Amino acid sequence: MAASSSPRRLGFLAALVFAVSVSASVSSVSGGSGPITTNGGNYTRVCDPARFAAAGLDMAGFPYCDASLPYADRVRDLVGRMTLEEKVANLGDRAGGAPRVGLPRYLWWGEALHGVSDVGPGGTWFGDAVPGATSFPLVINSAASFNETLWRAIGGVVSTEIRAMYNLGHAELTYWSPNINVVRDPRWGRASETPGEDPFVVGRYAVNFVRGMQDIDGATTAASAAAATDAFSRPIKVSSCCKHYAAYDVDAWNGTDRLTFDARVQERDMVETFERPFEMCIRDGDASCVMCSYNRINGVPACADARLLTETVRRDWQLHGYIVSDCDSVRVMVRDAKWLGYTGVEATAAAMKAGLDLDCGMFWEGVHDFFTTYGVDAVRQGKLKESAVDNALTNLYLTLMRLGFFDGIPELESLGAADVCTEEHKELAADAARQGMVLLKNDAALLPLSPEKVNSVALFGQLQHINATDVMLGDYRGKPCRVVTPYDGVRKVVSSTSVHACDKGSCDTAAAAAKTVDATIVVAGLNMSVERESNDREDLLLPWSQASWINAVAEASPSPIVLVIMSAGGVDVSFAQDNPKIGAVVWAGYPGEEGGTAIADVLFGKYNPGGRLPLTWYKNEYVSKIPMTSMALRPDAEHGYPGRTYKFYGGADVLYPFGHGLSYTNFTYASATAAAPVTVKVGAWEYCKQLTYKAGVSSPPACPAVNVASHACQEEVSFAVTVANTGGRDGTHVVPVYTAPPAEVDGAPRKQLVAFRRVRVAAGAAVEVAFALNVCKAFAIVEETAYTVVPSGVSRVLVGDDALSLSFPVQIDLQAAA
């Protein structure tokens, strides 16, 4: 089908423009694979004169359709024409439109976590012209690549496929992804959806994915020119939404669930960990949406906290877009949390006054969302100003203006079915899976296996993992273009590959099968019944007696075996790390539709793994020492709780540390920088801040720290690292850069990641990697008072992880004005 001739509707049910005057119809797509139901005819945009004429309206009489006017003026006209009842009808995710003024319905809810998903009320759907879309690895896999270029490319492909589907009537324009909550506890069920435990990595993932989703390269519309002075006019390809704000990482654990959980969080942790990725997403990524979470934070529901929404997200971070509730969050305040004994009317008023623009709801006891159900009463009863409704609608329809919902975006209108599931997109999915593979163990260089020497393979595991048509796709998936399973991938390399199912807790054929083949590969791990939304893990062990039969297979094999782990969160595979008969361990995560190809490419040496763990893999003993509900990141001496994440935990219960990842080759570092002194001049208008020092520090400097918020922050530390590949294989290598604060400062992170770069280095070659660290961003810490400050004294730059590392001191001298 020619993309340029494809009809387009304004979303599922959105073409029910005027319920009274336009009857449902079915239009066929010329040259397409079948009919598309448009419930009122095909049209390309809201502001189409023919569409208005069909409803008996003259578009010329509606200034909101005058493309020569600024978006703000047009939205003001649209909202001003609507009655209170019409306004309130558009405050829910299933916006009802306003037929009287020519406004169509719209479905706001879309999901695109790792590809176009059909989760939601029907705004995105597969069939006829679009049977599927590219299914990328889960976010935790992509994060393991530590490759910002890849993250942006994935966002770009997902948004291209969305716009193509939109043109075909299969999608909307607003998608509530990415999930950028930090994995604070290894038991959290939604680790697969997130970029890991480090707030900086999570934030950089958010920035790049959002930019890939939203940015239109080379946009030439009049609106894009206006956007140079008005960010609310910048055209966007697809609206991306950073969620779930904030301090949300408990779903269902030990009797506590996310609907009733009150996260007790210190302000320092809010600034340092829970808020930071969202600030980066908004400030640097210019996300057009933020979703607030179910939980309460220090007694107040996140979706009714004006300090979080209006003061922080809108005023401080300057959101150019809208704020939506996680689905049913407003109802949860009343039904589950029973917050302040509020009624539906009171909860609606409280959330809107706090800054919530859109209520996503579930149908329950005859009520969909609270805003459209109780909004009119909230105004009529004097609990809410109508102007608050106007403000919410302004944020919503400014976003749709930027998306071309009203006018179209010419650069994107040629996209169609030929732009979904392309070979390039499938190859990017495969490459993302390869880049995210992490080699955890490789004794005696067991891997890579030689395709020339390995003529037969025994593939052991549960069928759900060997033929992982479901497991590899994870949660929030759509319909993939295709699925290449581990069996498919291995068999393509070694045609003599036998499958031995271990679904009943044992592998009866292990001894005979393992002794007759050249290589034995075990595929094991978890699935979405163990770790997913609304289901946290109880422990970190492999379920279903897998450790037992894996050891049995290893024992039966005459040579060391290869173990491939599918999971999102860390798994305590100490038994495999300690067993010499398990020679290699590879973490494959949930690698998406092309996962089997990626696994085979890594195992047989077509691709040299370079991924790094984006979260710490703990031994199972760790989780018995701290409850999930303890929100503190630092060790809690009063309760005997250890710290969390690599930044605050240095104990013995780590199996594989954050950033761990091996290669089939060897790398070395060198740098000409031995030290980097920095003088920071503190202006007369600034004030030095105090620091909390460890016991025994008797003479702190005259100016202990400077407040980042009041400083110009122009100082930098620049250096270069030469990465040499001293092995015999080409490879990619992630260069991580950490900083460590002065040793005398109490309560500071052990170290914190501040930069990273993934580079390709040919065998025997070397590349120079340059870094320029802004002092305020790279050397700042969050003090006990929740000020973000740069401390005086000797900090350190640490490059690398595991055995490969170098470091140098950075003396920061704060010179206060006389």
Side-chain angles (χ1 to χ4, degrees):
M1 172 171 55
S4 60
S5 63
S6 302
R8 182 171 86 198
R9 63 174 186 135
L10 232 56
F12 180 79
L13 291 181
L16 277 170
V17 185
F18 311 115
V20 177
S21 60
V22 183
S23 61
S25 66
V26 176
S27 298
S28 62
V29 180
S30 175
S33 58
I36 292 181
T37 302
T38 60
N39 299 319
N42 299 309
Y43 51 88
T44 59
R45 57 193 181 277
V46 171
C47 295
D48 182 344
R51 192 184 69 79
F52 273 77
L57 299 172
D58 180 4
M59 195 180 84
F62 295 88
Y64 78 81
C65 278
D66 183 349
S68 70
L69 296 176
Y71 284 167
D73 292 347
R74 296 172 63 183
V75 170
R76 188 178 302 111
D77 176 73
L78 171 61
V79 174
R81 291 174 178 274
M82 299 165 70
T83 66
L84 174 61
E85 288 73 15
E86 288 170 333
K87 292 174 183 178
V88 168
N90 289 279
L91 293 175
D93 65 285
R94 305 182 190 194
R100 186 182 59 83
V101 299
L103 181 68
R105 299 184 182 187
Y106 183 76
L107 293 178
W108 287 87
W109 183 354
E111 302 284 355
L113 181 70
H114 57 109
V116 188
S117 171
D118 53 358
V119 171
T124 304
W125 58 285
F126 296 103
D128 52 70
V130 188
T134 308
S135 185
F136 287 92
L138 270 292
V139 175
I140 194 70
N141 286 69
S142 297
S145 72
F146 284 83
N147 187 341
E148 296 192 52
T149 302
L150 174 67
W151 300 338
R152 184 161 183 161
I154 291 172
V157 166
V158 173
S159 61
T160 291
E161 296 196 345
I162 288 170
R163 289 301 303 215
M165 292 174 65
Y166 175 71
N167 291 346
L168 296 165
H170 279 256
E172 298 288 4
L173 296 171
T174 46
Y175 284 78
W176 297 339
S177 302
N179 179 340
I180 59 168
N181 296 113
V182 170
V183 182
R184 176 185 54 88
D185 190 288
R187 291 162 289 193
W188 189 33
R190 301 188 75 170
S192 67
E193 301 177 35
T194 79
E197 73 179 35
D198 181 82
F200 176 72
V201 174
V202 175
R204 291 308 304 167
Y205 178 90
V207 169
N208 285 279
F209 183 83
V210 168
R211 287 291 181 184
M213 286 281 280
Q214 294 195 160
D215 289 0
I216 303 174
D217 296 331
T220 58
T221 62
S224 63
T229 56
D230 178 15
F232 286 99
S233 297
R234 182 174 77 91
I236 51 178
K237 189 178 178 184
V238 170
S239 174
S240 186
C241 190
C242 286
K243 64 184 184 184
H244 312 81
Y245 179 71
Y248 163 57
D249 55 9
V250 173
D251 269 68
W253 179 81
N254 199 30
T256 299
D257 69 78
R258 61 183 179 173
L259 306 185
T260 58
F261 182 53
D262 184 7
R264 294 292 174 171
V265 185
Q266 295 180 3
E267 290 297 328
R268 175 194 246 179
D269 287 334
M270 281 294 289
V271 172
E272 182 178 57
T273 299
F274 298 115
E275 290 186 338
R276 190 181 184 194
F278 291 91
E279 180 177 7
M280 294 170 71
C281 179
I282 296 168
R283 286 187 184 272
D284 303 330
D286 196 24
S288 54
C289 170
V290 168
M291 175 183 283
C292 54
S293 52
Y294 290 111
N295 55 288
R296 284 167 288 157
I297 302 173
N298 299 325
V300 182
C303 290
D305 192 329
R307 186 176 70 94
L308 289 177
L309 304 186
T310 296
E311 294 180 21
T312 302
V313 169
R314 286 210 176 277
R315 185 193 67 191
D316 297 345
W317 299 344
Q318 294 291 296
L319 173 70
H320 305 123
Y322 70 100
I323 302 174
V324 62
S325 69
D326 200 348
C327 296
D328 254 9
S329 289
V330 182
R331 189 197 318 267
V332 162
M333 298 177 200
V334 176
R335 183 191 65 195
D336 302 279
K338 297 178 172 54
W339 182 56
L340 301 179
Y342 272 6
T343 64
V345 169
E346 292 167 327
T348 293
M352 291 205 71
K353 286 192 286 188
L356 186 62
D357 300 311
L358 185 71
D359 183 16
C360 176
M362 306 281 195
F363 192 82
W364 185 76
E365 291 190 354
V367 174
H368 182 55
D369 65 89
F370 267 35
F371 278 14
T372 60
T373 302
Y374 298 112
V376 171
D377 287 344
V379 174
R380 300 288 188 215
Q381 294 177 20
K383 299 182 184 298
L384 180 69
K385 295 178 180 179
E386 187 175 355
S387 61
V389 177
D390 296 345
N391 290 338
L393 291 176
T394 297
N395 294 327
L396 295 170
Y397 284 108
L398 274 174
T399 303
L400 289 180
M401 283 275 182
R402 297 172 63 195
L403 285 162
F405 181 73
F406 287 85
D407 306 322
I409 297 179
E411 294 94 329
L412 305 176
E413 291 177 2
S414 65
L415 297 173
D419 299 291
V420 182
C421 286
T422 67
E423 290 303 315
E424 292 80 5
H425 294 180
K426 288 182 282 190
E427 174 53 32
L428 183 63
D431 191 45
R434 294 185 200 103
Q435 291 195 40
M437 297 277 169
V438 181
L439 181 62
L440 300 174
K441 174 185 179 180
N442 195 25
D443 286 356
L446 175 61
L447 292 179
L449 303 173
S450 170
E452 291 76 29
K453 296 179 180 179
V454 174
N455 298 309
S456 58
V457 170
L459 198 57
F460 286 90
Q462 295 185 330
L463 290 179
Q464 64 167 334
H465 293 127
I466 296 174
N467 291 314
T469 54
D470 181 75
V471 172
M472 290 196 310
L473 301 179
D475 214 350
Y476 282 91
R477 89 283 292 276
K479 290 183 170 57
C481 308
R482 64 184 182 188
V483 177
V484 181
T485 69
Y487 171 71
D488 296 332
V490 172
R491 192 173 184 278
K492 189 174 181 180
V493 180
V494 181
S495 59
S496 180
T497 297
S498 57
V499 172
H500 306 273
C502 305
D503 288 319
K504 296 182 180 179
S506 64
C507 304
D508 296 334
T509 61
K515 289 178 180 178
T516 60
V517 295
D518 297 325
T520 298
I521 300 170
V522 171
V523 186
L526 312 179
N527 65 21
M528 290 292 116
S529 74
V530 177
E531 49 177 353
R532 69 176 189 281
E533 184 174 3
S534 299
N535 189 71
D536 297 320
R537 295 161 65 188
E538 297 178 1
D539 57 47
L540 306 181
L541 302 174
L542 283 175
W544 315 308
S545 304
Q546 290 180 93
S548 175
W549 61 255
I550 292 170
N551 278 328
V553 171
E555 183 62 30
S557 175
S559 57
I561 69 170
V562 176
L563 174 61
V564 177
I565 297 291
M566 287 190 182
S567 75
V571 182
D572 185 354
V573 290
S574 299
F575 74 92
Q577 180 64 26
D578 297 338
N579 188 343
K581 297 211 69 177
I582 302 176
V585 181
V586 175
W587 178 69
Y590 298 125
E593 67 170 49
E594 306 295 324
T597 296
I599 289 170
D601 286 349
V602 167
L603 296 185
F604 289 92
K606 186 176 180 179
Y607 187 85
N608 187 350
R612 303 262 188 144
L613 291 179
L615 40 71
T616 304
W617 280 35
Y618 298 92
K619 297 175 183 178
N620 193 52
E621 290 78 7
Y622 174 83
V623 298
S624 67
K625 298 176 181 178
I626 186 169
M628 278 195 73
T629 49
S630 171
M631 299 298 292
L633 276 293
R634 289 164 175 77
D636 182 344
E638 180 182 353
H639 296 92
Y641 297 158
R644 295 184 180 277
T645 78
Y646 78 91
K647 294 174 69 174
F648 300 106
Y649 180 73
D653 291 330
V654 171
L655 178 61
Y656 301 118
F658 173 90
H660 175 71
L662 307 176
S663 172
Y664 296 155
T665 190
N666 299 305
F667 297 96
T668 62
Y669 289 161
S671 178
T673 303
V678 178
T679 298
V680 177
K681 294 187 177 181
V682 182
W685 62 92
E686 299 181 80
Y687 295 93
C688 295
K689 294 295 180 185
Q690 297 302 307
L691 282 178
T692 305
Y693 289 102
K694 294 177 180 176
V697 177
S698 56
S699 350
C703 185
V706 63
N707 184 9
V708 166
S710 63
H711 189 65
C713 294
Q714 301 299 311
E715 299 85 1
E716 287 188 344
V717 171
S718 297
F719 62 97
V721 177
T722 299
V723 182
N725 183 341
T726 60
R729 288 178 175 270
D730 297 350
T732 58
H733 179 75
V734 175
V735 185
V737 178
Y738 301 86
T739 60
E744 63 270 20
V745 178
D746 195 29
R750 299 172 65 246
K751 63 178 182 179
Q752 55 189 359
L753 190 68
V754 296
F756 54 87
R757 198 83 49 78
R758 185 172 178 130
V759 295
R760 182 171 182 80
V761 190
V767 298
E768 186 175 87
V769 186
F771 294 95
L773 305 181
N774 179 279
V775 169
C776 284
K777 292 182 178 179
F779 294 89
I781 60 173
V782 180
E783 233 294 289
E784 188 176 45
T785 57
Y787 276 117
T788 301
V789 300
V790 174
S792 176
V794 180
S795 293
R796 295 194 70 83
V797 168
L798 315 169
V799 182
D801 283 301
D802 295 337
L804 177 60
S805 64
L806 63 81
S807 68
F808 58 86
V810 177
Q811 172 71 51
I812 298 178
D813 181 20
L814 303 181
Q815 293 186 355

